[in-house]
Short mmCIF file of all heavy atoms in Angstrom, two decimals:
data_model
loop_
_atom_site.label_atom_id
_atom_site.label_comp_id
_atom_site.label_asym_id
_atom_site.label_seq_id
_atom_site.Cartn_x
_atom_site.Cartn_y
_atom_site.Cartn_z
N TYR A 859 -82.64 102.63 46.19
CA TYR A 859 -83.89 103.20 45.70
C TYR A 859 -84.93 102.13 45.35
O TYR A 859 -85.87 102.40 44.59
CB TYR A 859 -83.61 104.11 44.49
CG TYR A 859 -82.78 105.31 44.92
CD1 TYR A 859 -81.44 105.40 44.61
CD2 TYR A 859 -83.36 106.32 45.68
CE1 TYR A 859 -80.68 106.48 45.03
CE2 TYR A 859 -82.60 107.40 46.10
CZ TYR A 859 -81.26 107.48 45.78
OH TYR A 859 -80.52 108.54 46.21
N VAL A 862 -88.50 103.32 46.16
CA VAL A 862 -88.91 104.36 45.21
C VAL A 862 -89.27 103.74 43.86
O VAL A 862 -90.28 104.10 43.25
CB VAL A 862 -87.79 105.41 45.03
CG1 VAL A 862 -88.06 106.35 43.89
CG2 VAL A 862 -87.58 106.19 46.32
N ASP A 867 -95.77 105.93 40.81
CA ASP A 867 -95.73 107.40 40.76
C ASP A 867 -94.37 107.99 41.10
O ASP A 867 -94.18 109.20 40.96
CB ASP A 867 -96.82 108.00 41.65
CG ASP A 867 -96.70 107.57 43.10
OD1 ASP A 867 -96.18 106.48 43.35
OD2 ASP A 867 -97.14 108.34 43.98
N THR A 868 -93.42 107.17 41.55
CA THR A 868 -92.10 107.72 41.88
C THR A 868 -90.96 107.09 41.08
O THR A 868 -89.83 107.55 41.18
CB THR A 868 -91.79 107.53 43.39
OG1 THR A 868 -91.85 106.15 43.72
CG2 THR A 868 -92.74 108.34 44.25
N LYS A 869 -91.24 106.08 40.30
CA LYS A 869 -90.14 105.40 39.58
C LYS A 869 -89.66 106.18 38.36
O LYS A 869 -88.60 105.91 37.83
CB LYS A 869 -90.52 103.97 39.21
CG LYS A 869 -91.51 103.84 38.08
CD LYS A 869 -92.03 102.44 37.89
CE LYS A 869 -90.99 101.46 37.50
NZ LYS A 869 -91.50 100.10 37.29
N TRP A 870 -90.42 107.19 37.95
CA TRP A 870 -90.05 108.00 36.78
C TRP A 870 -89.79 109.44 37.21
O TRP A 870 -90.41 109.93 38.14
CB TRP A 870 -91.16 107.99 35.73
CG TRP A 870 -91.64 106.61 35.40
CD1 TRP A 870 -92.84 106.06 35.73
CD2 TRP A 870 -90.93 105.58 34.71
NE1 TRP A 870 -92.93 104.77 35.30
CE2 TRP A 870 -91.77 104.44 34.65
CE3 TRP A 870 -89.68 105.51 34.13
CZ2 TRP A 870 -91.38 103.25 34.04
CZ3 TRP A 870 -89.30 104.32 33.52
CH2 TRP A 870 -90.14 103.22 33.48
N VAL A 871 -88.90 110.11 36.49
CA VAL A 871 -88.66 111.54 36.70
C VAL A 871 -89.46 112.29 35.64
O VAL A 871 -89.27 112.06 34.45
CB VAL A 871 -87.16 111.89 36.59
CG1 VAL A 871 -86.96 113.40 36.63
CG2 VAL A 871 -86.37 111.21 37.69
N ALA A 872 -90.33 113.17 36.09
CA ALA A 872 -91.11 114.01 35.18
C ALA A 872 -90.25 115.24 34.87
O ALA A 872 -90.39 116.30 35.49
CB ALA A 872 -92.43 114.40 35.82
N ALA A 873 -89.35 115.09 33.92
CA ALA A 873 -88.35 116.11 33.64
C ALA A 873 -88.93 117.42 33.12
O ALA A 873 -88.29 118.46 33.22
CB ALA A 873 -87.32 115.57 32.65
N SER A 874 -90.14 117.38 32.60
CA SER A 874 -90.74 118.63 32.09
C SER A 874 -91.47 119.40 33.19
O SER A 874 -91.95 120.50 32.96
CB SER A 874 -91.72 118.31 30.96
OG SER A 874 -92.74 117.47 31.43
N ASP A 875 -91.53 118.84 34.40
CA ASP A 875 -92.20 119.47 35.53
C ASP A 875 -91.17 120.18 36.40
O ASP A 875 -90.36 119.53 37.05
CB ASP A 875 -92.95 118.40 36.33
CG ASP A 875 -93.67 118.96 37.55
OD1 ASP A 875 -93.58 120.18 37.81
OD2 ASP A 875 -94.33 118.17 38.25
N PRO A 876 -91.20 121.52 36.44
CA PRO A 876 -90.22 122.26 37.24
C PRO A 876 -90.21 121.84 38.72
O PRO A 876 -89.15 121.82 39.36
CB PRO A 876 -90.64 123.72 37.09
CG PRO A 876 -91.42 123.76 35.81
CD PRO A 876 -92.09 122.42 35.70
N ALA A 877 -91.37 121.49 39.28
CA ALA A 877 -91.43 121.07 40.68
C ALA A 877 -90.68 119.75 40.88
O ALA A 877 -90.04 119.55 41.92
CB ALA A 877 -92.88 120.94 41.13
N GLU A 878 -90.76 118.86 39.89
CA GLU A 878 -90.05 117.59 39.98
C GLU A 878 -88.54 117.82 39.92
O GLU A 878 -87.78 117.22 40.68
CB GLU A 878 -90.49 116.66 38.84
CG GLU A 878 -89.68 115.39 38.72
CD GLU A 878 -90.01 114.33 39.77
OE1 GLU A 878 -90.74 114.62 40.72
OE2 GLU A 878 -89.51 113.21 39.62
N ILE A 879 -88.10 118.68 39.03
CA ILE A 879 -86.67 118.99 38.92
C ILE A 879 -86.19 119.62 40.22
O ILE A 879 -85.10 119.30 40.71
CB ILE A 879 -86.38 119.90 37.69
CG1 ILE A 879 -86.70 119.15 36.39
CG2 ILE A 879 -84.94 120.41 37.71
CD1 ILE A 879 -85.89 117.87 36.17
N GLU A 880 -87.01 120.48 40.81
CA GLU A 880 -86.67 121.09 42.09
C GLU A 880 -86.50 120.02 43.18
O GLU A 880 -85.58 120.08 44.00
CB GLU A 880 -87.76 122.09 42.49
CG GLU A 880 -87.44 122.89 43.73
CD GLU A 880 -88.53 123.91 44.06
OE1 GLU A 880 -89.19 124.43 43.13
OE2 GLU A 880 -88.72 124.16 45.26
N ARG A 881 -87.37 119.00 43.17
CA ARG A 881 -87.26 117.90 44.14
C ARG A 881 -85.96 117.12 43.92
O ARG A 881 -85.29 116.73 44.89
CB ARG A 881 -88.45 116.94 44.03
CG ARG A 881 -89.65 117.37 44.85
CD ARG A 881 -90.72 116.30 44.89
NE ARG A 881 -91.31 116.00 43.60
CZ ARG A 881 -92.29 116.71 43.03
NH1 ARG A 881 -92.77 117.77 43.64
NH2 ARG A 881 -92.77 116.36 41.86
N VAL A 882 -85.60 116.87 42.66
CA VAL A 882 -84.36 116.16 42.37
C VAL A 882 -83.16 116.97 42.86
O VAL A 882 -82.24 116.44 43.50
CB VAL A 882 -84.23 115.84 40.86
CG1 VAL A 882 -82.85 115.29 40.52
CG2 VAL A 882 -85.31 114.86 40.43
N VAL A 883 -83.19 118.27 42.61
CA VAL A 883 -82.10 119.15 43.06
C VAL A 883 -82.00 119.11 44.59
O VAL A 883 -80.92 118.90 45.14
CB VAL A 883 -82.31 120.60 42.55
CG1 VAL A 883 -81.39 121.58 43.27
CG2 VAL A 883 -82.09 120.67 41.05
N ASP A 884 -83.13 119.31 45.26
CA ASP A 884 -83.11 119.37 46.72
C ASP A 884 -82.81 118.03 47.38
O ASP A 884 -81.96 117.94 48.25
CB ASP A 884 -84.44 119.91 47.26
CG ASP A 884 -84.64 121.39 46.95
OD1 ASP A 884 -83.66 122.08 46.64
OD2 ASP A 884 -85.81 121.84 47.01
N ASN A 885 -83.53 116.99 46.96
CA ASN A 885 -83.44 115.71 47.66
C ASN A 885 -82.29 114.82 47.22
O ASN A 885 -81.72 114.11 48.03
CB ASN A 885 -84.76 114.94 47.52
CG ASN A 885 -85.90 115.67 48.19
OD1 ASN A 885 -85.71 116.38 49.18
ND2 ASN A 885 -87.09 115.52 47.67
N PHE A 886 -81.95 114.86 45.93
CA PHE A 886 -80.87 113.99 45.47
C PHE A 886 -79.54 114.75 45.42
O PHE A 886 -78.56 114.34 46.05
CB PHE A 886 -81.18 113.38 44.10
CG PHE A 886 -80.10 112.44 43.62
CD1 PHE A 886 -79.90 111.22 44.25
CD2 PHE A 886 -79.28 112.78 42.56
CE1 PHE A 886 -78.89 110.35 43.84
CE2 PHE A 886 -78.27 111.92 42.13
CZ PHE A 886 -78.08 110.71 42.78
N LEU A 887 -79.51 115.85 44.70
CA LEU A 887 -78.23 116.54 44.51
C LEU A 887 -77.73 117.20 45.80
O LEU A 887 -76.56 117.04 46.17
CB LEU A 887 -78.34 117.55 43.38
CG LEU A 887 -78.54 116.94 41.99
CD1 LEU A 887 -78.73 118.03 40.94
CD2 LEU A 887 -77.38 116.04 41.61
N LYS A 888 -78.60 117.93 46.48
CA LYS A 888 -78.15 118.64 47.69
C LYS A 888 -78.06 117.72 48.90
O LYS A 888 -77.05 117.70 49.59
CB LYS A 888 -79.08 119.83 47.99
CG LYS A 888 -78.93 120.96 46.98
CD LYS A 888 -79.84 122.13 47.34
CE LYS A 888 -79.67 123.27 46.35
NZ LYS A 888 -80.57 124.40 46.68
N LYS A 889 -79.13 116.96 49.17
CA LYS A 889 -79.14 116.13 50.38
C LYS A 889 -78.31 114.86 50.22
O LYS A 889 -77.46 114.56 51.05
CB LYS A 889 -80.58 115.78 50.77
CG LYS A 889 -81.34 116.96 51.32
CD LYS A 889 -82.76 116.59 51.70
CE LYS A 889 -83.51 117.84 52.16
NZ LYS A 889 -84.95 117.57 52.28
N LYS A 890 -78.54 114.10 49.16
CA LYS A 890 -77.86 112.81 49.00
C LYS A 890 -76.40 112.99 48.58
O LYS A 890 -75.50 112.42 49.17
CB LYS A 890 -78.61 111.93 47.99
CG LYS A 890 -78.00 110.57 47.78
CD LYS A 890 -78.13 109.71 49.02
CE LYS A 890 -77.59 108.31 48.77
NZ LYS A 890 -77.65 107.49 49.95
N LEU A 891 -76.18 113.78 47.52
CA LEU A 891 -74.81 113.94 47.02
C LEU A 891 -74.05 115.05 47.75
O LEU A 891 -72.83 115.13 47.63
CB LEU A 891 -74.82 114.23 45.51
CG LEU A 891 -75.39 113.14 44.60
CD1 LEU A 891 -75.15 113.52 43.13
CD2 LEU A 891 -74.81 111.77 44.88
N THR A 897 -78.45 126.59 43.08
CA THR A 897 -79.63 125.86 42.61
C THR A 897 -79.71 125.95 41.09
O THR A 897 -80.06 124.97 40.43
CB THR A 897 -80.90 126.44 43.27
OG1 THR A 897 -80.78 126.22 44.69
CG2 THR A 897 -82.15 125.76 42.76
N LEU A 900 -77.31 123.44 39.57
CA LEU A 900 -77.79 122.07 39.75
C LEU A 900 -79.00 121.80 38.85
O LEU A 900 -79.13 120.71 38.29
CB LEU A 900 -78.13 121.82 41.22
CG LEU A 900 -76.93 121.90 42.17
CD1 LEU A 900 -77.38 121.80 43.62
CD2 LEU A 900 -75.89 120.84 41.85
N THR A 901 -79.85 122.79 38.70
CA THR A 901 -81.00 122.67 37.79
C THR A 901 -80.50 122.49 36.36
O THR A 901 -81.05 121.68 35.60
CB THR A 901 -81.92 123.89 37.91
OG1 THR A 901 -82.40 123.97 39.26
CG2 THR A 901 -83.10 123.81 36.96
N CYS A 904 -79.54 118.96 35.83
CA CYS A 904 -80.74 118.13 35.64
C CYS A 904 -81.29 118.31 34.23
O CYS A 904 -81.68 117.32 33.58
CB CYS A 904 -81.83 118.50 36.65
SG CYS A 904 -81.48 117.97 38.32
N ASN A 905 -81.32 119.54 33.77
CA ASN A 905 -81.82 119.80 32.42
C ASN A 905 -80.94 119.16 31.35
O ASN A 905 -81.44 118.68 30.33
CB ASN A 905 -81.97 121.31 32.18
CG ASN A 905 -83.10 121.91 33.00
OD1 ASN A 905 -84.04 121.22 33.40
ND2 ASN A 905 -83.01 123.19 33.28
N ARG A 919 -85.93 106.89 37.16
CA ARG A 919 -85.27 107.64 38.23
C ARG A 919 -83.84 107.12 38.45
O ARG A 919 -82.92 107.91 38.64
CB ARG A 919 -86.09 107.56 39.51
CG ARG A 919 -85.61 108.48 40.60
CD ARG A 919 -86.64 108.65 41.70
NE ARG A 919 -87.89 109.20 41.23
CZ ARG A 919 -88.15 110.50 41.09
NH1 ARG A 919 -87.23 111.39 41.40
NH2 ARG A 919 -89.32 110.91 40.66
N PHE A 922 -81.68 108.46 35.64
CA PHE A 922 -81.54 109.91 35.82
C PHE A 922 -80.53 110.19 36.95
O PHE A 922 -79.59 110.98 36.77
CB PHE A 922 -82.91 110.52 36.16
CG PHE A 922 -83.03 111.97 35.83
CD1 PHE A 922 -83.47 112.38 34.58
CD2 PHE A 922 -82.74 112.94 36.77
CE1 PHE A 922 -83.59 113.73 34.26
CE2 PHE A 922 -82.86 114.29 36.47
CZ PHE A 922 -83.29 114.69 35.22
N TYR A 923 -80.69 109.52 38.09
CA TYR A 923 -79.79 109.72 39.22
C TYR A 923 -78.38 109.25 38.89
O TYR A 923 -77.40 109.88 39.27
CB TYR A 923 -80.31 108.98 40.45
CG TYR A 923 -81.47 109.62 41.16
CD1 TYR A 923 -82.12 110.76 40.68
CD2 TYR A 923 -81.95 109.07 42.35
CE1 TYR A 923 -83.19 111.33 41.35
CE2 TYR A 923 -83.01 109.65 43.04
CZ TYR A 923 -83.63 110.77 42.53
OH TYR A 923 -84.67 111.33 43.21
N LEU A 926 -76.65 111.84 36.80
CA LEU A 926 -76.28 112.99 37.62
C LEU A 926 -75.06 112.67 38.49
O LEU A 926 -74.12 113.47 38.57
CB LEU A 926 -77.45 113.43 38.50
CG LEU A 926 -78.57 114.18 37.79
CD1 LEU A 926 -79.77 114.34 38.70
CD2 LEU A 926 -78.09 115.55 37.30
#
Side-chain angles (χ1 to χ4, degrees):
Y859 295 106
V862 170
D867 58 332
T868 58
K869 74 190 297 181
W870 310 109
V871 172
S874 60
D875 179 359
E878 172 76 350
I879 295 300
E880 186 178 329
R881 275 189 296 278
V882 171
V883 167
D884 290 342
N885 296 329
F886 182 70
L887 293 176
K888 290 182 179 179
K889 289 180 184 169
K890 181 68 177 178
L891 298 187
T897 298
L900 296 173
T901 300
C904 288
N905 291 336
R919 190 165 300 274
F922 204 89
Y923 284 6
L926 285 170

